[in-house]
Amino acid sequence: MKNFSAMARSALLLCALASASPALACGPDALGVARVLTLAAKPGEAPAVGLKSYPQTLDLKPREVVLTFDDGPLPGPTTRILDALDAQCVKATFFLIGRNAQANPRLARREAQAGHTIAHHSFSHRLMGRLAEAVAREDIDKGFRADDLAAFGTAGEQPRAPFFRYPGFVDSPQLNAWLASRGVIVFGADVWASDWEKMTPQEELDRTLARLEASNGGILLLHDIKAQTAAMVPELLVELKRRGFSIVHVKPRETPAPIPLRAAPPGWKSETAAILAGAAKKAVPDRPHSAQ
């Protein structure tokens, strides 16, 4: 791998060129999107996916990556990440916190207008599974409305993209059943960068790539409120292309259809359940952030 700082400078130049004329950056050397996977579930049949939490995930091909970002939008880090994605013609799924979308509607609109998927991460980022069920439902619904209003200017009874990720992955059977009854697909993750931990961009890059190599792809979780992640993403996209990974863009579809799922391997156990039970308290994923 080339020196990170040199590659980062090249990536920043690429971002600048893309801002001036996106066509300059979207030739054969760009990572791009290999395919689009459209998802919609019948009410009562919406699955929960992501092997870190659930015994099934999306049935991706080897070395396919679904790029997802949590907790934004936040001016600065989110802006730099969007620039990097534009430069490489990559589309991602952004799981917005409703109060952040409400505070930063220009960024939410930019994500939507660029063709990224606007998904949902509650309004307040409280741990939903530890709240009274009625309180959690209200917070989730408030997040749906705030995200869609910020990104699209209107909000209906159902979110435009029925995709939800629990803050901290703290779910409950009751909330999962309620979301499924509304056709809302719950996203966990197959791979996380652990960017809630403080590290350098190079350390985060090395860790993320090593985990993607070990898993052979999957649903990747990053946070677009993290400066270290914003600095790392341009080089991550370059390395994904170099190593033969490809991007799958997950989008909602208008009518329900069978969702391609792959079962967990034999002996699977929920890593997040173990963490949340206290087996590894220092590594609680996607914990509430003081910056929010």
Side-chain angles (χ1 to χ4, degrees):
M1 187 186 300
K2 295 182 180 180
N3 178 268
F4 182 89
S5 60
M7 289 299 294
R9 286 194 296 271
S10 297
L12 289 173
L13 176 59
L14 191 60
C15 289
L17 290 171
S19 299
S21 175
L24 292 175
C26 294
D29 292 334
L31 176 59
V33 172
R35 68 183 179 106
V36 175
L37 179 60
T38 58
L39 304 176
K42 293 181 181 178
E45 298 181 5
V49 298
L51 296 177
K52 290 291 187 182
S53 301
Y54 304 109
Q56 61 187 3
T57 192
L58 297 176
D59 188 17
L60 302 175
K61 299 173 184 176
R63 302 188 85 74
E64 287 188 332
V65 176
V66 175
L67 195 58
T68 71
F69 293 92
D70 283 8
D71 288 5
L74 185 68
T78 301
T79 305
R80 292 193 291 274
I81 286 169
L82 288 171
D83 288 344
L85 296 174
D86 286 348
Q88 290 283 351
C89 299
V90 168
K91 305 301 179 187
T93 300
F94 287 87
F95 288 86
L96 276 58
I97 294 177
R99 66 186 182 192
N100 285 354
Q102 201 172 70
N104 302 290
R106 286 187 179 183
L107 274 177
R109 286 195 299 271
R110 178 180 171 185
E111 290 170 349
Q113 290 169 358
H116 302 294
T117 298
I118 303 298
H120 310 281
H121 198 43
S122 82
F123 182 82
S124 68
H125 202 272
R126 298 168 71 189
L127 301 180
M128 297 294 112
R130 295 179 184 172
L131 301 176
E133 185 178 351
V135 174
R137 287 189 184 193
E138 182 179 4
D139 192 284
I140 292 169
D141 265 330
K142 188 176 180 181
F144 290 159
R145 291 192 298 272
D147 295 340
D148 282 354
L149 278 171
F152 306 109
T154 61
E157 290 295 318
Q158 286 285 96
R160 290 200 182 197
F163 304 156
F164 178 75
R165 179 178 276 150
Y166 285 97
F169 300 117
V170 182
D171 64 0
S172 74
Q174 295 80 8
L175 288 173
N176 285 344
W178 171 67
L179 289 166
S181 75
R182 298 179 60 180
V184 176
I185 300 168
V186 172
F187 276 75
D190 299 319
V191 181
W192 56 50
S194 301
D195 58 352
W196 50 84
E197 298 176 358
K198 187 175 181 179
M199 67 187 94
T200 67
Q202 182 67 58
E203 289 168 338
E204 184 176 340
L205 177 67
D206 292 344
R207 176 183 291 187
T208 302
L209 290 170
R211 290 176 176 180
L212 284 171
E213 291 284 3
S215 66
N216 211 20
I219 303 169
L220 173 64
L221 167 65
L222 299 162
H223 290 80
D224 62 308
I225 64 165
K226 295 293 186 179
Q228 68 194 36
T229 299
M232 182 273 296
V233 164
E235 174 64 359
L236 173 65
L237 301 179
V238 171
E239 277 295 307
L240 290 177
K241 173 75 172 181
R242 190 180 73 83
R243 293 171 181 235
F245 288 97
S246 60
I247 298 296
V248 174
H249 183 204
V250 174
K251 296 176 62 176
R253 56 180 291 143
E254 291 186 3
T255 56
I259 294 175
L261 298 173
R262 172 168 53 86
W268 173 90
K269 293 182 180 180
S270 170
E271 190 172 340
T272 57
I275 291 171
L276 295 169
K281 291 182 179 179
K282 292 183 179 180
V284 175
D286 200 21
R287 61 193 176 198
H289 302 286
S290 59
Q292 299 311 301

